[in-house]
Structures are given as structure tokens and as C-alpha cells.
Amino acid sequence: MKNLFLLDPSITYLNHGSYGACPVSVFNDYQGWQKKLEQQPVQFITKHLWRHLEEARKELGGFLNCNGDDILLFPNPTTAINNVIENLNLNKGDEVLMTQHEYGALVRAWSRSSKKNHFAIVQQPVNIPVNSKKNFIKQFLAGITVNTKVLFISQITSQTGLIFPVKEICEYARKRGIITIVDGAHVPGHINLNISNLDCDFYTGTCHKWLCAPKGSSFLYVKKSLQDSIKPQIMSWGEEGDDPGPSQFQMDFQWQGTKDMSSFLSIPSAIHFIESNNWKENHKLSKELILEVSDDLKNLFGTDPLFKSEDWVGQMVSHPLPLNVPENLKEILWEKFLIEVPIFEWKKQKYIRVSAHFYNGKNDMKTLLNALKIIF
Ligand SMILES: Cc1ncc(COP(=O)(O)O)c(C=O)c1O
């Protein structure tokens, strides 16, 4: 399927996890929206945009199994989560529980607010390699105290590429009146997501990663009962503006000053692309590739995976590198072999993270392994 994407065919692209990659058809749709906007900016922005945004939200809601009116469109999860943090009114004595695997930028966002508002952040350790779901949940929930007001957890982690059992965790928190915020940046178009079933309070996800929409398309789901209590960081016209909306919540957020919203408008095209290319079957095939490459890396480096059973991973695996890893491994792989793959340090250990999506095949993994064999 490589020719359905805009990726340079001469490179081996094993980093869908970072920014995604956009199919030609979806990118054409995106540019089509941009052209429509520029043909008559005033009419497009003042008369039609709100309706197209509503359609995009509706389609996305259908895909995520929640009401489209409960979704706010944001360019990325960082903006979405910053908006949530600022609305929680946490104070001295309150605690936010999260795993040690959360995305660095968002941990920084929490930290800034915790310093300003004097609440505590608890980054609960869990044993690696992760083994049973039950153990993981038990270890993580041991971090809850009477002061825990918020639970923040990734459904698929960035650096460690692990799928966490968020459903059970949200259920536990809900019974205790703890607010649940799920970071699902890597989830839509990767693994099944049913937000209504998950029943969390807030859920952020990207459309530009595994759903293959253009960059700058993400969302924040907010449970109905909390919508009155959340206000945008960027205050604009809201209900005094021209755009109608189903609620004050939508009107407050949907217009935040002039910007190109074409990436939001092409979300339906991305959903159409992944559905018409059987994304669930693609998931199975990509996961097989990932499990094979995980075994190969284990055999090559003699280092153990971060997980004991395959239900912890999807289309992305992070594998520990040996101690003799060259300082500039990432550059060597790119400059000598044209392989784009992330190499990074997490908790004093170096990792390689391999992603597989529609356009990857066995050959890509072979190219990576051959290169690593030459280098090591
Ligand atoms: C788990 C996770 N959360 C949040 C984000 C935030 O993405 P952004 O920097 O685009 O807001 C990422 C990005 O890769 C991520 O992997």
C-alpha cells in the first residue's frame, strides 16, 4: 500500500507512531478544503465552516462511539490536555495519580500547574516487564490515597509502546468519584476504541497518527456532566459569535480566532480511508510484523521485551538496546540506510521503537535488521 501514501518511496519509514503519515487521497481532500476556503474566505468561514465542523465531529463520534457533540476538535493532545488541567481547580492537598510512562510534554504541563496550584503528582511505579493485567492494575491503583482527585493514564504509551488496561482502571476510579483523563494519542485507528463503553471523564486522541488524517487533527471528549465546568484557555466569541452550536460548550471552543481548520474537515476522509482499507485486518498483519521484529531484536541484542504476553502491544514496539549502542545510532540508520526509526533514552535505558502500519511489510523489517546487524 506504499503507493497510496505520500511517503518518499526510497525510505524505510518505521516511525508512524511519532507523527503518522497521510494517504494521498486524504491529503487531496485536505487541500480541497484549503482551496474552498481561499476561493471565498468570508462566505466559507462565516456561513459554512461551522456546519462542516459539525459533520466532522459527527463522523468522528460515530467512529469513536460517542456523541459528536461531546467532542472538541483540537490540533493536538498537548493543547487539549492543557485546557483540561487549567479547568480542574486542583489545590494544596490534592493528588493526581499517573503512571511513570506518561508523555513527557504532558507531565511538564501537569508539573507547571502543580507548582502553581500546590497539588501533588504521584507517578506510580509498576513492574517491567508487564505481565498480568491484574498485577498491573493492582500496582498502579496502590497509588490511590484519600487525596487522589484525578487519574491520568495513557491507553497506549509513547516511549514504551504498551497498551494499558484503562477500562478497568476507569471503572475503579469512577466508583470512588475520581476524575479520569485518558491519553489516547496512539489509539484511534490503532486499536478498537469505544469511548461510551470506557466511560471516562476526558479522553484525548489524535486523528493524525494511526487514523492517518493530516497533521493538526486531534480531539478531546468531555463527558456531558462536565461540559459546563470546562472553559477554553483561549477565550473568543463563544455564544456571542456568528456560529451556531448545539451547546455553550461547543460554541465556546469551536471558534478560537481565525485559523485554517482544513485538517479537522478532512477527518471524515481519513476515517473513510482506513475503513475502506480494512484497518482491523491491517492491525492483525501489522501486529504480526511487530511481534516478529520484537523476537528478532531480542535474539540480536539479547535484551528482553518490556512485556510478557502479546496483548500488551499493538502496531508499535519499544525494545531495549544493548549497552554497546553507538551514540549516534539514529543518525547512522538514517544517513547510511535511509531508515527512519526512533532511538531514545527512557529511564536511563536506550530503546528502539518500531511502528508498522498499512504501508509497512516484511521487507521493511528485514532492511532494519540487516542494517542493525551491520552496525552491531
Ligand atoms: C502518548 C502521547 N500523548 C500525547 C502526545 C502529544 O502529542 P502532541 O505533542 O502532538 O500534542 C503524544 C505524541 O506523540 C503521545 O505519544
Side-chain angles (χ1 to χ4, degrees), residues 244-256:
S247 58
Q248 168 122 34
F249 167 70
Q250 280 296 342
M251 284 190 282
D252 274 347
F253 278 92
Q254 80 182 358
W255 183 260
Q256 301 207 334

Side-chain angles (χ1 to χ4, degrees), residues 17-19 75-79 101-103 105-106 152 154 156-159 183-186 204 206 208-209 218 316 353:
S18 280
Y19 306 114
N76 50 57
T78 302
T79 320
H101 298 239
E102 300 311 323
Y103 188 65
L106 298 182
F152 175 64
S154 291
I156 301 182
T157 62
S158 174
Q159 278 130 318
D183 176 356
H186 285 278
T204 187
T206 64
H208 54 233
K209 286 188 196 277
S218 300
M316 188 165 78
R353 190 187 72 185

Side-chain angles (χ1 to χ4, degrees), residues 98-204:
M98 59 182 76
T99 73
Q100 291 188 326
H101 298 239
E102 300 311 323
Y103 188 65
L106 298 182
V107 175
R108 278 170 64 87
W110 281 108
S111 299
R112 187 182 71 162
S113 182
S114 87
K115 280 186 197 125
K116 195 169 109 195
N117 300 305
H118 311 289
F119 62 85
I121 294 173
V122 178
Q123 289 181 285
Q124 182 70 0
V126 285
N127 291 341
I128 294 288
V130 283
N131 47 30
S132 81
K133 247 192 196 181
K134 213 169 136 198
N135 272 348
F136 176 92
I137 294 169
K138 197 170 153 205
Q139 286 169 23
F140 177 61
L141 293 179
I144 289 187
T145 73
V146 288
N147 298 321
T148 308
K149 294 288 183 309
V150 174
L151 212 144
F152 175 64
I153 186 165
S154 291
Q155 188 166 7
I156 301 182
T157 62
S158 174
Q159 278 130 318
T160 45
L162 297 169
I163 302 174
F164 283 165
V166 292
K167 183 161 166 42
E168 293 83 345
I169 286 168
C170 287
E171 212 169 286
Y172 184 92
R174 199 165 46 249
K175 284 187 193 142
R176 282 153 188 81
I178 297 169
I179 292 172
T180 48
I181 307 174
V182 180
D183 176 356
H186 285 278
V187 175
H190 186 165
I191 57 172
N192 275 332
L193 172 58
N194 184 326
I195 292 188
S196 301
N197 202 9
L198 188 57
D199 202 12
C200 55
D201 293 312
F202 299 93
Y203 192 104
T204 187

Side-chain angles (χ1 to χ4, degrees), residues 216-236:
S217 51
S218 300
F219 66 90
L220 175 71
Y221 159 86
V222 182
K223 192 182 260 183
K224 217 150 225 92
S225 55
L226 293 167
Q227 291 176 4
D228 283 346
S229 64
I230 161 159
K231 293 291 166 204
Q233 282 182 308
I234 306 298
M235 188 50 75
S236 184

